[in-house]
């Protein structure tokens, strides 16, 4: 009887152990499934985070570029409004009479040109240069055997550039 009792106890223990093992395996499987779900969720959130960071960097770069362009455009607009004044001062200098008034205008023109140069404004070379439609506006064409083809022979209005941007095209006469 004692043997039977011991055998029964052993069988019960084996059954309990088997049940506990089955429960533990089921728990492990549930934990693995939960871990897989959490990993997927983490991967999705991490991917969203990386995309958001990339979008933000693109936004910063784009707004900085827009700011820079706005500054250059405002500067170019201001300079373009000053150019007619410079043209008129240079026409005043073209008069032949010498006077203290003319000397004063020369100093003003010199100072204005120096200021524009400090801002990055430069005059577009014209007379004697090859015609470039990106820099010059041809308002007249002449036939001249002595001149090469597409050479600028006369400039009617000076052109100016602000760094790499054309503010005003040179109005020129081109020989064909």
């Amino acid at each position: 009887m004692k043997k039977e009792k011991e055998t029964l106890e052993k069988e019960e223990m084996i059954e309990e152990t088997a049940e506990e093992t089955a429960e533990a395996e089921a728990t492990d499987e549930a934990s693995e499934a939960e871990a897989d779900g959490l990993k997927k969720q983490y991967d999705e959130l991490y991917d969203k985070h990386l995309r958001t960071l990339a979008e933000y960097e693109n936004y910063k770069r784009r707004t900085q570029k827009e700011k820079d362009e706005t500054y250059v455009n405002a500067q170019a607009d201001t300079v373009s409004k000053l150019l007619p004044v410079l043209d008129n001062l240079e026409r005043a200098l073209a008069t032949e009479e010498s006077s203290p008034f003319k000397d004063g205008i020369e100093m003003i023109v010199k100072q204005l040109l120096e200021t524009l140069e400090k801002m990055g404004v430069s005059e577009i070379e014209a007379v004697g240069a090859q015609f470039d439609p990106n820099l010059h506006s041809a308002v007249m064409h002449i036939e001249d055997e002595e001149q090469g083809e597409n050479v600028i022979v006369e400039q009617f209005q000076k052109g100016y550039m602000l760094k790499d941007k054309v503010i005003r095209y040179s109005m020129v006469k081109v020989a064909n």
Side-chain angles (χ1 to χ4, degrees):
M1 263 245 191
K2 212 177 185 187
K3 263 188 170 186
E4 283 181 14
K5 203 176 189 185
E6 282 179 16
T7 308
L8 237 108
E9 285 178 6
K10 283 183 183 178
E11 285 178 8
E12 284 179 8
M13 286 180 89
I14 291 172
E15 285 178 18
E16 285 178 14
T17 306
E19 287 176 9
E20 289 175 2
T21 305
E23 287 177 13
E25 286 176 3
T27 305
D28 287 346
E29 288 175 11
S31 294
E32 281 183 34
E34 187 178 331
D36 287 343
L38 289 174
K39 179 149 178 37
K40 283 182 183 177
Q41 187 178 11
Y42 169 79
D43 289 343
E44 288 173 6
L45 289 174
Y46 186 71
D47 185 52
K48 274 186 180 180
H49 172 70
L50 290 179
R51 288 179 190 273
T52 303
L53 283 176
E55 286 176 15
Y56 180 68
E57 286 300 317
N58 289 338
Y59 168 77
K60 281 181 16 182
R61 200 174 307 117
R62 187 174 51 249
T63 55
Q64 184 61 43
K65 184 179 176 184
E66 287 172 0
K67 268 190 214 177
D68 294 344
E69 287 176 1
T70 301
Y71 176 75
V72 169
N73 289 338
Q75 192 177 21
D77 189 44
T78 302
V79 169
S80 69
K81 288 184 178 16
L82 288 174
L83 291 178
V85 175
L86 178 61
D87 291 339
N88 288 332
L89 288 172
E90 288 176 339
R91 283 187 200 105
L93 287 178
T95 61
E96 295 199 21
E97 64 183 64
S98 181
S99 69
F101 181 70
K102 185 176 179 180
D103 294 339
I105 292 176
E106 283 177 356
M107 288 189 285
I108 291 170
V109 169
K110 181 181 175 188
Q111 184 180 20
L112 182 56
L113 289 173
E114 287 172 356
T115 302
L116 291 174
E117 187 177 316
K118 288 177 186 174
M119 293 174 62
V121 176
S122 60
E123 186 178 324
I124 297 173
E125 296 297 321
V127 177
Q130 283 291 112
F131 176 75
D132 181 358
N134 297 317
L135 302 174
H136 309 109
S137 176
V139 292
M140 289 181 69
H141 293 280
I142 61 165
E143 295 294 329
D144 191 349
E145 302 282 327
E146 296 173 12
Q147 299 292 330
E149 191 168 322
N150 287 331
V151 173
I152 298 171
V153 293
E154 188 176 347
Q155 176 174 262
F156 299 114
Q157 186 178 41
K158 290 182 181 178
Y160 293 92
M161 293 180 69
L162 175 63
K163 297 176 183 147
D164 293 334
K165 182 178 181 170
V166 175
I167 298 173
R168 181 172 75 184
Y169 294 89
S170 296
M171 290 174 47
V172 297
K173 181 192 298 186
V174 180
N176 287 337

